[in-house]
Structures are given as C-alpha cells and as structure tokens.
Amino acid sequence: LMAWQRHGIAIDLVYTTDSSAGGTGHTPEERAATRLAEAQELQRCTGIRSVTVLSGVNEKLLAARAQVTRELSALIDANPYEAVFAVGPVDAHHEHRTSAALIADALLTASFTGSVFVGENSSFLPGHLITHAAALTRAQLGERDHLFEVFASQTSMGFEVYHDVARSQRPLAPGAHAAELFHQTDAAGLKRLCERVEASGPEDAL
C-alpha cells in the first residue's frame, strides 16, 4: 500500500464486514470498534484515500450478502478503478469464502473490466512459494513491522492463525513468513474460482 501511494496511485480500502469475529475485545461491538480504529490508523500511516466498512457482520454475513453486494457494486460503479485486490475463496474461513463470492458478484454487476488480484492464504502454498524476509530491505522490514504493530488486536492471532489446523491442514515451511500471494484474473475468473471452491473445497481448487 505504501509503495503504491508513493507512486501516486489512489487506493480505497473496503471491508465487507465489521471484522468483529476476531481480535481483542469482550464483545463483537468492541472488536469491531478496535478493528475500525486500526484500519483508520493504517490509512494514516500509508496515505490511502479512504476506508469504507460495508454493512456485513461477520457472524451474519450470509444473511446480509445481497445488501453488501449491492453496496460494493455501487462503490465500484462510482469509481474508475484500474484494479481490485480481493480476498480469495481458497480459505477455511466461511466468512472469507462468502466475501470472495460477493465481491465476484459485485464486480460482475458493476461490469468491472479491470484486473482482479485474488489473495490466497500462504499456508495452503508449497513451502518454496512462500515469501521470505530476505526479499525485503531493512527499511521495508521496519515499515512492515510497524504495520503489524498497528493491527495490535490481531497479534494474539497473528502468525498463529496460519498454523491453525482449522485454517490449513499443514503449517508454514520453517523460516517462512505468513504472507498473501495474489494471482491475476478478472471478475469472471474470480466467480469461477468461487464456484469451484463451493463445489469441491479449497484444497481441490488449489
């Protein structure tokens, strides 16, 4: 995000849910407020243009799917985006799979023709494909570490979530860093991937 901002690329960050399922806080409302504050701090640190939280609630995303899809489609339709980076459906979390599916629907509804970069959880990847810290400069490592500090509510989960059997059937390769790998497709390609995951599961789709 910081690299794009430095190159003058306008970035909008959109949450499909209130992020209340994970992080610190005794109630969903507390967790949602904490995650929103962290996102706003990320905006301040990186210079991204805007942060938008749509009306989805983590535990009730399926029920709100149509409404969230309409909201996202309207947002995409109102802005001349060149590319969209989206959560991918190859994930053990049902909210993430639902988010990917509604993003695909919103892109198709808005007739989005740009590139769609789909994120896949790195713990599903073969070890040699996972990025390592050696690929980053010392300055970049410092910037990355600071952004992890911004999301303090997630440090209790942090890298552990990538080792969680509930999320993946195999751990990260020793010495690897949890990271997102994106593959480039289009709206129709994301839709096909979502349908494949729904039909046969994330491991088969990978």
Side-chain angles (χ1 to χ4, degrees):
L1 293 176
M2 288 186 289
W4 293 336
Q5 189 272 339
R6 287 176 186 138
H7 284 85
I9 299 172
I11 303 162
D12 295 323
L13 178 62
V14 180
Y15 284 68
T16 57
T17 76
D18 63 354
S19 303
S20 60
T24 57
H26 296 294
T27 67
E29 292 76 19
E30 288 178 8
R31 292 192 291 271
T34 298
R35 297 291 293 276
L36 176 59
E38 290 170 347
Q40 291 169 336
E41 177 63 11
L42 176 73
Q43 178 184 11
R44 189 191 70 78
C45 291
T46 61
I48 62 177
R49 183 168 59 182
S50 68
V51 173
T52 301
V53 180
L54 303 181
S55 60
V57 176
N58 267 87
E59 302 302 321
K60 303 174 183 177
L61 184 55
L62 277 174
R65 176 173 172 172
Q67 175 63 29
V68 176
T69 301
R70 285 193 294 271
E71 293 171 2
L72 182 57
S73 177
L75 184 65
I76 295 167
D77 204 34
N79 291 277
Y81 294 121
E82 296 180 36
V84 169
F85 284 72
V87 62
V90 183
D91 196 300
H93 285 232
H94 67 87
E95 293 102 338
H96 297 178
R97 296 196 301 271
T98 301
S99 287
L102 71 83
I103 291 168
D105 290 342
L107 291 168
L108 290 169
T109 300
S111 301
F112 180 75
T113 58
S115 293
V116 179
F117 293 87
V118 182
E120 304 301 351
N121 192 289
S122 62
S123 56
F124 279 114
L125 299 174
H128 67 279
L129 292 181
I130 300 172
T131 60
H132 288 68
L136 301 175
T137 66
R138 186 176 298 275
Q140 288 170 330
L141 281 170
E143 289 176 336
R144 187 193 65 170
D145 289 345
H146 175 64
L147 294 184
F148 281 126
E149 292 169 3
V150 167
F151 285 94
S153 75
Q154 294 298 287
T155 55
S156 61
M157 299 163 56
F159 295 114
E160 296 171 17
V161 77
Y162 291 88
H163 293 269
D164 190 339
V165 175
R167 188 178 180 100
S168 171
Q169 297 303 309
R170 50 186 178 273
L172 287 172
H177 288 261
E180 293 290 332
L181 177 79
F182 291 89
H183 72 263
Q184 184 174 359
T185 183
D186 55 18
L190 176 56
K191 179 69 173 179
R192 289 192 298 271
L193 180 58
C194 290
E195 290 173 343
R196 181 171 178 180
V197 170
E198 184 176 358
S200 58
E203 289 280 357
D204 178 73
L206 180 64

